[in-house]
Amino acid sequence: MREEIVVNGIVLYATLVGEYDKRLVILTKERGKITVFANGARRPNSTLRAASQSFVMGKFTVIPGREAYNLTRVEVDEYFSDIAYDMEKMCYASYFTEFMSYYTREGDNCLNNLNLLYFTLKALLEDELPNSLIRSIYEIKLMDIEGQAIHSYSCIKCGEKENLTHFDAASGGLLCGGCGIRHKITKKVSNTLVYTLQYILSTPLNRLYKFNLSPENEEELAWVSNRFRCQYVDKDFKSLEILSTLA
């Protein structure tokens, strides 16, 4: 019999299996994204019942199997249960986990991914920033962690560090005024957008959600993030479709 191991993580998804069981997809620090079966978790007296939910964060004791893991116990650190009482927050949180699942695999080093998801769910519950702004920040930072950062500190064409006035998703980021005109880039951006991108890319994860923007600047950031994601992420997310119906 294989020995138990303890992994630290957050439940990305929880789905029903059979009459009493659940299938969990957990993002872990130690083993990346893993599939875990919680046998009997839906029984009223199960010790796994409360912990076998989406967004639960904690220490999961599991037994490795051939294609998945079996859950034996959980020490919960955060339930994030209040998310379930707000439909909009629930949709955003579902998108955050779906987007994270797109990028992660078993065996990956997911420490930064796990911390990003944790601080994002915390920000969602704190109500200090608009949910739409949290989404833009999250998208930009996750793509950065995965090696697909928006080029924001210099012109992607000539390397000029000043006068960054244009954005082109296909090119990978910002361009100076001269290159923007030369390459016929029509999307001009504000200085605030440039500084905001640089802040998101450079700041530690625990400080990521410590700023706010005017509605106009937030809309500009959302446009840039959305265009960049559509350019480099080849997947349609069901949770985004649901979010669009709430707008």
Side-chain angles (χ1 to χ4, degrees), residues 4-206:
E4 294 180 334
I5 62 171
V6 178
V7 292
N8 296 270
I10 296 177
V11 178
L12 300 180
Y13 305 106
T15 56
L16 307 182
V17 177
E19 189 174 356
Y20 297 112
D21 305 334
K22 279 192 172 183
R23 175 182 178 271
L24 311 179
V25 176
I26 306 176
L27 180 69
T28 72
K29 179 178 71 173
E30 296 83 1
R31 300 207 170 192
K33 185 178 68 176
I34 62 173
T35 298
V36 178
F37 286 97
N39 296 321
R42 295 162 60 197
R43 294 182 183 276
N45 62 344
S46 173
T47 58
L48 304 177
R49 185 180 180 90
S52 300
Q53 310 288 338
S54 297
F55 318 128
V56 167
M57 178 179 183
K59 297 176 178 62
F60 298 83
T61 301
V62 298
I63 300 174
R66 181 173 297 179
E67 297 182 355
Y69 296 74
N70 289 313
L71 185 66
T72 59
R73 59 184 176 274
V74 185
E75 181 181 334
V76 176
D77 296 322
E78 295 271 0
Y79 282 101
F80 294 107
S81 54
D82 286 349
I83 289 175
Y85 298 109
D86 186 309
M87 177 60 72
E88 182 176 297
K89 291 184 187 299
M90 185 69 177
C91 289
Y92 273 100
S94 297
Y95 170 58
F96 297 152
T97 56
E98 189 179 4
F99 196 26
M100 183 65 74
S101 183
Y102 167 82
Y103 272 117
T104 50
R105 301 289 184 274
E106 184 169 358
D108 288 351
N109 181 348
C110 286
L111 177 59
N112 286 334
N113 303 69
L114 187 62
N115 285 336
L116 173 61
L117 184 57
Y118 167 72
F119 286 118
T120 303
L121 294 177
K122 290 283 284 186
L124 196 61
L125 286 177
E126 287 171 355
D127 279 330
E128 294 183 2
L129 298 180
N131 296 336
S132 54
L133 177 56
I134 293 172
R135 169 189 163 180
S136 297
I137 297 170
Y138 177 78
E139 288 175 338
I140 292 167
K141 194 66 173 183
L142 180 54
M143 288 188 286
D144 173 39
I145 289 172
E146 292 299 324
Q148 193 64 65
I150 299 175
H151 195 93
S152 303
Y153 289 91
S154 62
C155 174
I156 200 165
K157 297 295 185 181
C158 72
E160 172 65 43
K161 295 182 179 181
E162 304 296 332
N163 190 34
L164 301 177
T165 57
H166 291 71
F167 169 79
D168 181 43
S171 297
L174 301 178
L175 291 81
C176 68
C179 288
I181 294 171
R182 191 174 305 114
H183 292 276
K184 300 180 180 179
I185 305 302
T186 59
K187 178 60 179 177
K188 297 190 70 174
V189 295
S190 67
N191 286 334
T192 299
L193 184 280
V194 176
Y195 298 146
T196 301
L197 288 176
Q198 293 174 355
Y199 179 88
I200 293 171
L201 296 177
S202 64
T203 196
L205 293 174
N206 63 345

